Amino acid sequence: MTADVTDLKARAERLRELHGGEMLVLPNAWDAASATIVAEAGFPVVATASAAISAMLGYPDGEGAPWQEMFAAAGRVARAVSVPVTVDAEAGYGMRPRELVDRLLDIGAVGCNLEDTDHRAGGLVEAGAHAQWLADVRSAADDAGVPIVINARVDAFLPAGGIPETDRMAEATRRGRLYLDAGADCVYPIGVRHKRDIATLVTELPGPVNGNTGEHLDLATLRELGVARVSYGPRFYRAAMADLKTTVQELLT
């Protein structure tokens, strides 16, 4: 571990505290420059987006990029800012829990997203097995002396998860409870698009919930519903690339 354990512990504790007060808003970054913009704007945390980083590196999302390159990019983000950094670590890249924790701490990260999609077999990892893996990550972080903040992403609402639409709410709730019991700090039911659904999850899950803005959900609504954390994934990266595309095409005309 290259970073100071005491400093990492303080950052992790600060990140956890931010899940219990005013809604934590995370405009996700993908490199040192975008991370610096986010931090200098006054946001207390910088989060990475795996889809944005993998695209920047020239690979598809969904663990399509070598983990070494993903962690190297996230490390540059962490070195560029003085605020806590949480890394989208996808499904953990097949690492053992202690290896994952050590890799995160080595690059200066104090939080991570861990999703329950099975990128090798398709669909979702069996809920009990994934909960046990999250518990082992929590135990490894405790052993390392840094209480890494685990944001457990629940992919039941994603079509690729293979859950029938009528069963998605029940499955997301079941998985969210299991993951919180296993030691996750926050549950991220990605793909929720409607107010009634995120409201139900906030009510039914005994812990902080990560939401997303969208056509039917703005920041004010999510705050009113009691959502603890809001992230944007690759949205700003894609907007930046779209702006670049428009600008360079204009040069040809």
Side-chain angles (χ1 to χ4, degrees), residues 19-101:
H19 286 71
E22 176 67 16
M23 187 171 71
L24 177 61
V25 178
L26 300 171
N28 300 69
W30 58 91
D31 61 9
S34 57
T36 300
I37 289 171
V38 171
E40 289 182 348
F43 289 91
V45 175
V46 169
T48 69
S50 66
I53 290 180
S54 59
M56 175 192 70
L57 294 172
Y59 298 96
D61 190 25
E63 299 197 345
W67 69 262
Q68 295 91 336
E69 293 193 43
M70 296 294 287
F71 274 71
R76 290 190 288 272
V77 166
R79 290 193 298 273
V81 298
S82 60
V83 299
V85 169
T86 179
V87 170
D88 183 351
E90 303 190 78
Y93 306 102
M95 293 182 185
R96 294 175 182 268
R98 184 56 194 259
E99 181 186 7
L100 175 63
V101 167

Side-chain angles (χ1 to χ4, degrees), residues 163-216:
I163 307 299
E165 190 169 352
T166 54
D167 299 334
R168 289 174 182 173
M169 176 59 70
E171 183 63 10
T173 303
R174 182 178 79 91
R175 285 174 175 266
R177 288 172 176 166
L178 284 172
Y179 301 165
L180 288 167
D181 286 345
D185 299 283
C186 186
V187 172
Y188 180 13
I190 192 171
V192 177
R193 300 180 183 279
H194 298 289
K195 179 177 179 178
R196 65 179 181 275
D197 292 335
I198 195 69
T200 298
L201 289 163
V202 169
T203 300
E204 294 294 327
L205 293 174
V209 172
N210 189 142
N212 300 117
T213 60
E215 182 182 0
H216 305 291

